[in-house]
Amino acid sequence: MLRYMYNRTSPCWIGGNTEPLTGFTWRGGCERETTGIQIWSEVFVIDKPNGTKVAVLLMDTQGAFDSQSTIKDCATVFALSTMTSSVQVYNLSQNIQEDDLQHLQLFTEYGRLAMEEIYQKPFQTLMFLIRDWSYPYEHAYGLEGGKKFLEKRLQVKQNQHEELQNVRKHIHSCFSNLGCFLLPHPGLKVATNPNFDGRLNDIDEDFKKELRNLVPLLLAPENLVEKEISGSKVTCRDLVEYFKAYIKIYQGEELPHPKSMLQATAEANNLAAVAGAKDLYSKGMEQVCGGDKPYIAPSDLERKHQDFRESAVKQFRSVKKMGGEEFCRRYQEQLEVEIDEIYANFVKHNDGKNIFYAARTPATLFAVMFAMYITSGLTGFLGMNSIATLCNLVLGMALISFCTWAYVKYSGEFREVGTAIDQIAEAIWEQVLKPMSDNLMEDHMRQSVKNSIKAGLTEQVSHHARLKTD
């Protein structure tokens, strides 16, 4: 599969005859090599024929029910891989036995519960890969032979035991698409040679022929299946949330109940919707007052905030989610709180672009120094030396604060000290200087109105006097 993803545009993607097989760790033998779940470190971005881009992750898991794994281990690996993948390849040897189907029953209970919640099949594609198929005279190698074989194996018959019927019904009800591919034996050199390293010249031609059909069937751009949960397509960001939620419930010693798996899926589903809505809000606000955008009036910024906030909440509500109305409302409230926090940061960022806001601290310190200088001179002239000394002390502290603030802004060091000076200057501005300036402005406006009224009355009196004279 890795060879195909790296060389999919080449007709010889399968590689050279003498080229060893590399990628995921593997080896021959009766003991397992893969433990747990491994995901290839590179994400393959593929352009589909309809113009959309799809991120493809390849996942390898340990075999089910080997000699070293407990039932919990196998259930965990299978459940996690099935819930996080769009196509699950169920690798079986030689045939589909009844116990292979019963193993799937461990996870169909989750599927049944999830289906009750969202009224659709919870999983997407399950591909049975039957390796070492020895009966091509009954069912031919490849997809068509596998399809006929699988239909026969999963057929529900009237004379079957009820348990066998339930297993088959559950598998059909949990997967949107079921497939089967019959793969021949790769040859005795592969099976018996301890030094086999994956070279194609050691593999039988029938196996290589079917391998060339199987891999594009799964990974060709036109055949790619996008991951969906609860009817919504999953993004890479969403997938991270699902992994976090699933890993959390599997950390205990006991196998989680299917209902807890459903709960984890619902939580991750809602968290993914929250992340998408927050991203929409942040992108909108970035276009309005991002790093390279000029200062915007606070009233306009708040209006934009309300518009984008409403759009984000609307998007969150429009996404298909699990858990019910009450459950989803908690996450909507969380979204609204987080958006308000983001808005507070945008407000600070926008204020920092205001040249007058940036100059508030030095202007305040200069005003304090000027006021103290004048007051010190007057009180010294009037003989109030103690007050003059106190004013000189405040003036000196303001001067030192200004020099310290200038150094912090220039060097970037001691930022905590600079923040403290900004806070003190802001408090002086808000509590002293701003009220004084507002009062002065109010007095000035009142006096201007009085003068305007007086001028108007004087003009009217003069006009009446001229009329009487005339």
Side-chain angles (χ1 to χ4, degrees):
M1 287 187 174
L2 284 172
R3 285 185 179 181
Y4 179 81
M5 297 307 294
Y6 282 115
N7 305 286
R8 60 185 178 277
T9 57
S10 171
C12 301
W13 60 265
I14 200 168
N17 285 330
T18 59
E19 184 181 346
L21 182 63
T22 57
F24 287 103
T25 57
W26 68 277
R27 65 177 175 83
C30 58
E31 299 297 331
R32 77 178 185 191
E33 174 65 19
T34 304
T35 302
I37 296 177
Q38 296 182 0
I39 298 178
W40 190 247
S41 57
E42 183 172 347
V43 177
F44 301 96
V45 180
I46 308 298
D47 293 311
K48 295 189 70 176
N50 62 4
T52 60
K53 290 183 180 293
V54 178
V56 178
L57 286 171
L58 296 182
M59 182 187 300
D60 184 27
T61 68
Q62 69 182 48
F65 300 98
D66 57 32
S67 59
Q68 302 178 48
S69 300
T70 64
I71 292 178
K72 177 185 183 298
D73 295 335
C74 298
T76 299
V77 168
F78 197 97
L80 281 176
S81 60
T82 305
M83 290 188 294
T84 53
S85 58
S86 59
V87 178
Q88 172 82 320
V89 179
Y90 193 18
N91 193 344
L92 300 173
S93 176
Q94 299 182 355
N95 209 333
I96 299 179
Q97 304 293 346
E98 194 60 37
D99 60 342
D100 296 322
L101 298 180
Q102 289 173 353
H103 292 162
L104 288 175
Q105 196 174 20
L106 287 171
F107 322 110
T108 54
E109 179 66 10
Y110 164 78
R112 187 182 65 79
L113 286 172
M115 190 166 55
E116 288 178 359
E117 172 70 24
I118 61 176
Y119 306 104
Q120 56 185 270
K121 297 182 179 181
F123 306 131
Q124 290 171 268
T125 299
L126 177 65
M127 172 70 77
F128 290 89
L129 178 60
I130 315 300
R131 66 183 190 275
D132 305 341
W133 179 249
S134 304
Y135 316 106
Y137 49 85
E138 291 184 356
H139 299 284
Y141 297 132
L143 186 64
E144 287 303 316
K147 180 180 179 182
K148 294 176 181 177
F149 172 68
L150 186 64
E151 287 176 354
K152 186 176 180 180
R153 272 287 184 268
L154 295 183
Q155 185 179 6
V156 178
K157 301 176 183 178
Q158 292 296 328
N159 59 351
Q160 278 179 326
H161 190 278
E162 184 181 358
E163 182 181 349
L164 303 182
Q165 292 185 21
N166 288 338
V167 170
R168 286 158 173 76
K169 289 177 181 177
H170 280 179
I171 292 173
H172 278 293
S173 66
C174 289
F175 291 92
S176 301
N177 182 35
L178 293 169
C180 181
F181 196 96
L182 304 179
L183 203 59
H185 194 283
L188 289 178
K189 288 184 179 179
V190 175
T192 60
N193 183 2
N195 299 317
F196 174 71
D197 58 2
R199 297 172 194 263
L200 293 177
N201 55 11
D202 292 333
I203 301 175
D204 286 358
E205 286 299 324
D206 284 344
F207 185 89
K208 289 186 284 188
K209 176 185 174 183
E210 297 303 329
L211 195 61
R212 290 188 180 95
N213 295 329
L214 171 63
V215 175
L217 179 69
L218 299 172
L219 297 176
E222 62 273 14
N223 296 329
L224 287 174
V225 180
E226 297 169 55
K227 177 63 181 171
E228 294 183 4
I229 293 181
S230 184
S232 299
K233 296 187 186 302
V234 176
T235 65
C236 295
R237 186 202 301 109
D238 299 342
L239 192 61
V240 174
E241 297 294 341
Y242 285 109
F243 271 121
K244 288 179 181 177
Y246 293 147
I247 289 172
K248 188 185 300 181
I249 67 169
Y250 280 104
Q251 288 177 342
E253 294 296 326
E254 298 296 326
L255 185 67
H257 191 275
K259 285 191 176 180
S260 66
M261 297 162 68
L262 175 62
Q263 178 80 3
T265 304
E267 288 178 2
N269 180 239
N270 279 270
L271 286 171
V274 168
K278 280 169 53 182
D279 186 56
L280 175 68
Y281 172 82
S282 297
K283 286 181 178 178
M285 292 295 286
E286 283 288 344
Q287 293 177 355
V288 172
C289 62
D292 57 344
K293 301 297 180 181
Y295 174 75
I296 181 174
S299 58
D300 294 338
L301 182 63
E302 185 175 2
R303 188 173 65 255
K304 291 290 185 182
H305 156 68
Q306 294 295 342
D307 292 342
F308 290 129
R309 186 177 189 268
E310 186 177 334
S311 299
V313 172
K314 185 177 180 181
Q315 174 176 308
F316 174 82
R317 289 175 177 170
S318 66
V319 173
K320 293 181 180 179
K321 296 180 291 298
M322 300 170 64
E325 185 65 28
E326 189 66 30
F327 185 83
C328 295
R329 190 177 295 115
R330 296 203 330 251
Y331 288 92
Q332 181 179 327
E333 292 171 357
Q334 176 184 331
L335 170 65
E336 292 171 350
V337 169
E338 292 180 2
I339 284 179
D340 289 340
E341 291 174 354
I342 296 172
Y343 172 63
N345 291 330
F346 275 115
V347 168
K348 291 179 182 178
H349 181 67
N350 185 61
D351 287 342
K353 298 176 183 178
N354 188 345
I355 186 171
F356 295 103
Y357 183 88
R360 179 179 294 179
T361 296
T364 300
L365 294 176
F366 266 121
V368 171
M369 287 189 286
F370 180 76
M372 291 300 102
Y373 177 77
I374 297 299
T375 305
S376 173
L378 289 175
T379 52
F381 178 75
L382 297 174
M384 293 182 281
N385 294 327
S386 58
I387 297 177
T389 303
L390 181 61
C391 291
N392 287 330
L393 179 62
V394 174
L395 188 152
M397 291 175 63
L399 180 61
I400 293 172
S401 298
F402 173 76
C403 294
T404 304
W405 179 87
Y407 175 77
V408 169
K409 293 299 180 183
Y410 173 76
S411 66
E413 300 177 1
F414 310 110
R415 290 184 297 174
E416 296 80 3
V417 177
T419 302
I421 294 173
D422 283 331
Q423 291 174 346
I424 294 171
E426 184 173 1
I428 295 173
W429 171 263
E430 294 291 340
Q431 301 297 325
V432 180
L433 299 181
K434 187 177 180 182
M436 288 176 60
S437 63
D438 290 343
N439 290 335
L440 289 174
M441 185 68 67
E442 186 178 346
D443 292 341
H444 177 72
M445 290 294 294
R446 189 183 295 112
Q447 189 63 40
S448 298
V449 170
K450 286 182 179 179
N451 292 337
S452 298
I453 293 172
K454 286 181 180 179
L457 291 173
T458 303
E459 184 178 353
Q460 287 182 358
V461 170
S462 303
H463 181 66
H464 283 298
R466 283 197 300 271
L467 287 175
K468 288 182 179 179
T469 306
D470 294 339

